[in-house]
Amino acid sequence: MKTLKRILLFGIVAGVTFFTACEDDKTETLNKEESQEVIETNSNKMETAISEMKKSKGMKAMESLGGLVQEESPFSAQKSLDVSQDFITNISEILNPEKVYTEKAGDTHFIFNEHTGTYTWRSENTWRVKMDSPSDAIVIEFPTDTANFSETGNNAVLTVSDYKEEEIMTDTGATWMPVTLSAKLEINSTEYVNVNYSLTFDNEGNPTEVDMSLFMKPFTYTLNLTNNSIEFALSKEGVENTLISANLDLTFVNSEMEDVEEINGNFQMGNVNFDGVIRPYALSDSSQYEGVQNMGDIADQMNKHINIKVYKFDSGAKMANLIFDVNENSEYPIMGSIILAFEYNDGTTEDAGPYFESIITKIENMIGELPEDDL
């Protein structure tokens, strides 16, 4: 997972603040006030969208199911294995929009074919089980609100049509990892969740690709992450523009893939489009900072390795450049007193941190869920 995590660190977090490959300055420009309004409005909408996804009706239903299986396991009776809580937790973790990778909850191998059938919750906190009916899926019927069970009954149905785990070796020993998931969740006969997820390993047990398509009403999220590329998109029903989309290609310094030389691609966030290129390896080369006199000199050196422009997505009008700058009083420094700043078309600058802090924090939290020993 080391390489995949490195890609996430350099790709997604960097991508939230700047990206794409476009160097054409011959375009309409917006003044500072118009640009500030677009950027601030866009930032607020993005924060709201990510929060709404976690609070969606589908996620709340999965949380309700998690509570039910903690009280009484629907799978334990026929197999004498209390694994249902882990199984449901693993599904919920995969659905979490702030995560792209999850270690398995628990250490017991869940064998899908041994648990196919229909599991129906009863009001007395027990489950009615019909094994092998159906024989190719796990169907769980449950209430989204047990307090109103007498009125609503089992109004939710989770259908898992495919689920696989693969054993991999870690520093702490062997563990089972979820590698395949196909499932849908219906509430009152309306589909609220539909997910297809796969995690691929190489012969040495290292993850090489994450592929996911997730519908969580009213959001649709797609992700494909490999050793040298990132593609993702988040859209919402009723919203014309994609909320977030990116297609990033990464070039490494050598075949060991230890250091990212350059990241190119496309990153769009709401009505703001980031165009440019970043060279992480050059930014981290300490030799270029020898002899610098102050933080301003360091920022000047760093700006040699990025070329970033900010455009209004729907019109293509240029709003600003994104640069490294120095601000001793900023609450959002990235190194010492160095910040990311918008350089508007009138030459003035503004700290970019406040516009992206909450979104970056959410994505950093997502990355933080990856195993620490892979840093």
Side-chain angles (χ1 to χ4, degrees):
M1 179 56 69
K2 181 184 294 184
T3 301
L4 283 178
K5 184 163 187 176
R6 185 174 296 108
I7 291 172
L8 284 169
L9 288 169
F10 285 111
I12 297 181
V13 172
V16 166
T17 51
F18 43 82
F19 272 110
T20 330
C22 176
E23 312 246 344
D24 184 8
D25 279 327
K26 297 178 181 179
T27 185
E28 175 192 357
T29 61
L30 298 182
N31 62 37
K32 177 180 178 179
E33 290 72 22
E34 292 172 322
S35 299
Q36 286 177 319
E37 181 179 357
V38 172
I39 292 170
E40 182 173 4
T41 300
N42 190 80
S43 178
N44 293 336
K45 287 181 178 179
M46 289 307 308
E47 180 181 356
T48 300
I50 294 175
S51 297
E52 284 179 356
M53 195 173 181
K54 287 196 68 177
K55 298 176 182 177
S56 68
K57 194 170 183 178
M59 280 299 293
K60 288 183 176 179
M62 289 300 300
E63 291 172 1
S64 297
L65 178 57
L68 293 177
V69 299
Q70 285 181 11
E71 295 176 5
E72 180 67 28
S73 167
F75 301 119
S76 59
Q78 76 276 14
K79 295 296 175 185
S80 299
L81 292 173
D82 191 8
V83 296
S84 66
Q85 183 177 343
D86 296 339
F87 175 64
I88 300 302
T89 298
N90 289 329
I91 295 177
S92 298
E93 291 292 282
I94 290 173
L95 298 181
N96 191 331
E98 289 189 358
K99 300 180 180 180
V100 297
Y101 169 86
T102 179
E103 286 199 39
K104 174 180 167 58
D107 56 6
T108 303
H109 182 200
F110 187 91
I111 303 175
F112 180 77
N113 293 336
E114 293 184 359
H115 296 87
T116 55
T118 300
Y119 302 80
T120 304
W121 190 82
R122 294 177 174 178
S123 59
E124 58 272 22
N125 290 332
T126 59
W127 296 84
R128 182 177 70 246
V129 179
K130 293 183 179 180
M131 294 300 297
D132 293 321
S133 179
S135 60
D136 59 352
I138 293 175
V139 180
I140 303 176
E141 302 171 341
F142 66 99
T144 56
D145 184 3
T146 55
N148 295 318
F149 178 73
S150 60
E151 299 178 10
T152 63
N154 289 320
N155 62 326
V157 180
L158 173 66
T159 303
V160 183
S161 54
D162 196 8
Y163 179 86
K164 294 184 180 68
E165 296 176 353
E166 187 171 325
E167 189 177 32
I168 65 169
M169 294 300 299
T170 67
D171 290 344
T172 58
T175 187
W176 292 95
M177 296 291 301
V179 296
T180 301
L181 171 65
S182 294
K184 66 178 181 178
L185 172 68
E186 296 176 314
I187 303 174
N188 296 322
S189 301
T190 298
E191 186 174 270
Y192 278 84
V193 177
N194 192 309
V195 60
N196 287 283
Y197 170 88
S198 67
L199 175 61
T200 305
F201 294 89
D202 61 20
N203 293 333
E204 297 179 356
N206 300 310
T208 58
E209 183 175 7
V210 178
D211 192 78
M212 180 176 184
S213 174
L214 169 64
F215 169 70
M216 188 176 294
K217 191 177 180 64
F219 296 96
T220 298
Y221 175 64
T222 59
L223 168 71
N224 181 267
L225 173 66
T226 71
N227 283 336
N228 55 18
S229 67
I230 303 171
E231 295 181 39
F232 61 87
L234 175 65
S235 59
K236 182 180 181 181
E237 293 177 343
V239 178
E240 182 177 357
N241 290 336
T242 301
L243 299 178
I244 304 177
S245 66
N247 189 328
L248 308 176
D249 294 321
L250 294 89
T251 303
F252 291 88
V253 174
N254 53 46
S255 60
E256 297 298 320
M257 304 181 74
E258 290 293 326
D259 298 296
V260 179
E261 182 175 21
E262 186 173 285
I263 307 174
N264 289 285
N266 171 272
F267 187 91
Q268 167 258 330
M269 188 167 65
N271 203 25
V272 177
N273 198 31
F274 298 86
D275 293 0
V277 61
I278 183 172
R279 300 178 182 88
Y281 185 71
L283 282 169
S284 64
D285 182 7
S286 60
S287 65
Q288 68 179 308
Y289 304 113
E290 295 177 0
V292 297
Q293 300 297 313
N294 51 51
M295 295 301 289
D297 291 344
I298 294 177
D300 289 342
Q301 286 297 118
M302 295 174 69
N303 282 323
K304 293 179 180 179
H305 304 296
I306 58 173
N307 187 359
I308 303 155
K309 299 176 178 65
V310 187
Y311 295 90
K312 189 177 180 185
F313 181 72
D314 57 6
S315 68
K318 182 183 176 184
M319 298 188 293
N321 295 317
L322 197 62
I323 64 171
F324 292 110
D325 201 2
V326 177
N327 186 333
E328 299 287 349
N329 300 315
S330 175
E331 297 180 5
Y332 311 95
I334 60 174
M335 183 179 70
S337 58
I338 292 179
I339 63 169
L340 278 170
F342 292 115
E343 182 184 52
Y344 294 108
N345 296 318
D346 63 1
T348 60
T349 61
E350 181 183 16
D351 192 342
Y355 296 111
F356 302 109
E357 179 197 23
S358 60
I359 300 171
I360 293 173
T361 298
K362 289 177 184 296
I363 295 181
E364 285 177 337
N365 289 340
M366 172 187 72
I367 294 170
E369 297 295 330
L370 295 169
E372 290 298 323
D373 56 3
D374 288 325
L375 282 168

